Amino acid sequence: MTTSADMTMSAGGPLSTGGPLPTGATPSPGTPVAAAGGTTAAGGSAGGVLSMAGRGGDTPSPEGHQYAPQWLELRESADADARAADLLDPLRIRLANLPGRATGLTVHDLGCGTGSMGRWLAPRLDGAQRWVLHDQDPNLLRLAVARAPRAAADGSPVTVTTRRGDIGRLTAADLDGASLVTASALLDVLTREEIEALAAACAGAGVPALLTLSVVGRVDLVPAHPMDAEIAEAFNAHQRESDLLGPDAINVACEAFAQRGATVRVHPSAWQLDTRHTALVEEWLRGWVGAACEQRPELTERAEAYLRDRLAANAAGQLRVVVHHSDLLALPRPKGGAS
């Protein structure tokens, strides 16, 4: 694998909202996870805990969406299983018809984190690929480069460069020469203005976008509990803090791309969590309940008992969780108006 790390800055300076504008993250099993504000789930002192970022039930970190690599590791297999493979065929058709396709693809991965999108997607696409990994965290960029895939589906080489900067100010000029824009767990931690800017940049450059794993505000737990809906409602409200779109993001993104002439496809991409994901469910529960309590402190006493019950059921292999997401594929009109 050939890699380079130019660490170039976008015009806007350091990334304002973190890991992609953010990308996901992962604490090691058993480590408490801080809700945004520095408290552990359902109350308590956070101390030196890891933070999970506000997607899929993860709580935003106080440092502006800085994600722990361990959390990203923990969620990677669930993310890979959830991503909507059905969107790949229309994407492959568009990429196959790109002018200059013979010279290879250039893919910009926004908020790359540790590079899980590249590890999932690059081996599913034919042809030489150059991945440009965007993130504000240099440590995550280093991990992403070290773990980047080496070969495309047909054995062609995959190379990697990195770029550190403000994705919230991405423009069509930044995507000059790009074949595809990708992101994971990004849209729900953006504002309306940032999603509008992303759609405008992709449309202006005529570049397709595959934006995966956006939460939609629905969680199913089996067995059910009387507090499930109350916690979910409070968590969803927490995701909408500071003008972030949270579970509304997928609809806003669909409208933003469609208004700029793109063909938009949306497909469900739920996490299906069971006894294979005990460590992930534990950390997800702590973050989900912690964010709900931060939003509604009056829930804290009851939520502590709720969390204890849920963690015990998870440890006993008796809990199943479905965290609903959606994947979006936007196919703008190719630059120059070609079909």
Side-chain angles (χ1 to χ4, degrees), residues 2 13 27 39 99 114 156 161 173 189 221 248 263 302 318 337:
T2 302
T39 57
T114 63
S156 298
T161 63
V189 292
L221 297 97
D248 307 319
T263 299
R302 288 187 297 128
Q318 298 169 351

Side-chain angles (χ1 to χ4, degrees), residues 93-191:
I93 292 169
R94 166 58 69 89
L95 296 178
N97 291 322
L98 287 176
R101 176 68 174 83
T103 63
L105 301 173
T106 298
V107 183
H108 287 252
D109 188 24
L110 309 183
C112 67
T114 63
S116 64
M117 172 60 95
R119 289 189 290 276
W120 181 81
L121 184 58
R124 288 170 167 82
L125 299 177
D126 287 334
Q129 299 168 39
R130 173 180 175 259
W131 281 69
V132 183
L133 306 180
H134 297 248
D135 206 291
Q136 68 92 29
D137 187 331
N139 294 321
L140 291 179
L141 288 172
R142 282 190 285 270
L143 287 171
V145 169
R147 298 184 56 199
R150 301 181 180 184
D154 60 358
S156 298
V158 174
T159 61
V160 177
T161 63
T162 63
R163 193 171 294 179
R164 220 180 142 198
D166 186 351
I167 295 168
R169 300 179 185 179
L170 196 71
T171 68
D174 295 323
L175 299 177
D176 186 40
S179 311
L180 174 65
V181 167
T182 64
S184 291
L186 170 66
L187 295 179
D188 43 277
V189 292
L190 300 185
T191 65

Side-chain angles (χ1 to χ4, degrees), residues 19-30 33 50-61 65-84 110-117 119-120 135 140 147 183-189 211-216 235 239 269-274 276-285 287-288 322-327:
L21 255 169
T23 184
T26 278
S28 39
V33 177
L50 298 167
S51 283
M52 288 197 305
R55 62 193 28 71
D58 322 341
T59 50
S61 101
H65 303 299
Q66 298 282 339
Y67 305 129
Q70 298 96 321
W71 170 244
L72 294 170
E73 294 283 344
L74 196 57
R75 65 176 288 166
E76 182 163 350
S77 65
D79 286 349
D81 290 342
R83 286 192 183 96
L110 309 183
C112 67
T114 63
S116 64
M117 172 60 95
R119 289 189 290 276
W120 181 81
D135 206 291
L140 291 179
R147 298 184 56 199
S184 291
L186 170 66
L187 295 179
D188 43 277
V189 292
L211 308 172
T212 67
L213 300 169
S214 298
V215 296
V216 296
F235 174 80
Q239 279 214 311
S269 55
W271 275 357
Q272 305 279 348
L273 307 182
D274 53 31
R276 298 168 298 165
H277 308 96
T278 302
L280 174 59
V281 170
E282 177 179 343
E283 299 304 339
W284 174 84
L285 276 168
W288 189 57
V322 179
V323 181
H324 294 272
H325 306 94
S326 287
D327 288 5

Side-chain angles (χ1 to χ4, degrees), residues 225-227 230-231 293 296 298-308:
H225 186 287
M227 278 197 75
E230 199 170 9
I231 296 292
C293 291
R296 290 183 54 194
E298 70 274 15
L299 293 176
T300 299
E301 185 175 351
R302 288 187 297 128
E304 287 175 345
Y306 170 86
L307 181 60
R308 284 194 299 271

Side-chain angles (χ1 to χ4, degrees), residues 257-270:
F257 278 96
Q259 286 171 358
R260 290 165 174 80
T263 299
V264 179
R265 299 172 184 254
V266 177
H267 199 282
S269 55

